[in-house]
Amino acid sequence: MSSAHDTKGTVRPDSRNNTASNSIPASDSVDAAARRAFGSTTQYLQAELEASGSDLGLLEKLNDASITKYEGLSRQAQDMLVHAYKIKQTYNEMTLQIAQVDSLVESVDTLEHVAQELDRYSLQLEAKFQKLLK
């Protein structure tokens, strides 16, 4: 397809190809195509920006939810530390009492052993006394 240009930049139809599309000035068709391309690009970029904005909004919500969850976990961990400290204090206080109980148990065991030996000895004495009486 060959065409000739005039001084205004319009395309003049060639004598061999005389169609209606060739009668549109070249600058007008390029302008329209460029406008459509820029319009489509604008729409695409706006959609991308909106999607990015939506993604950022979702990330912000997830971030807020994570913050709330971790604040709760932090409070629970702090409460557990306080309880662990109280338990350790109670254990330390009870350690002395446990040692005293252990000492008492040993004393009772010793006393029981002495009582058993005394019982055996008294039985022996009673047997000797019975022999002497006969």
Side-chain angles (χ1 to χ4, degrees):
M1 168 169 110
S2 67
S3 57
H5 293 280
D6 64 9
T7 58
K8 293 183 182 180
T10 57
V11 177
R12 289 181 291 160
D14 195 11
S15 62
R16 289 176 279 162
N17 191 0
N18 193 7
T19 61
S21 64
N22 285 339
S23 65
I24 300 174
S27 62
D28 288 346
S29 65
V30 169
D31 270 354
R35 287 183 200 281
R36 281 193 311 275
F38 283 124
S40 296
T41 303
T42 300
Q43 288 175 349
Y44 170 76
L45 290 175
Q46 283 176 341
E48 284 294 318
L49 287 173
E50 288 173 8
S52 295
S54 295
D55 289 348
L56 288 174
L58 179 59
L59 283 173
E60 183 179 8
K61 288 178 183 176
L62 286 171
N63 223 4
D64 291 342
S66 295
I67 288 169
T68 302
K69 180 163 180 94
Y70 285 110
E71 283 175 347
L73 289 173
S74 176
R75 267 186 254 107
Q76 286 178 346
Q78 289 171 352
D79 289 345
M80 289 173 67
L81 283 174
V82 168
H83 291 300
Y85 179 75
K86 287 179 182 178
I87 289 170
K88 185 176 180 180
Q89 267 185 323
T90 303
Y91 176 78
N92 289 338
E93 291 170 2
M94 290 178 66
T95 302
L96 178 61
Q97 295 169 350
I98 291 171
Q100 290 173 347
V101 168
D102 288 343
S103 177
L104 284 173
V105 167
E106 286 178 23
S107 296
V108 168
D109 287 344
T110 303
L111 189 59
E112 185 179 6
H113 181 67
V114 168
Q116 288 173 353
E117 286 184 27
L118 270 174
D119 194 34
R120 260 186 263 128
Y121 184 68
S122 65
L123 287 174
Q124 288 174 356
L125 280 177
E126 187 179 346
K128 284 182 184 180
F129 185 68
Q130 290 296 328
K131 279 186 187 180
L132 287 175
L133 287 178
K134 291 186 187 183

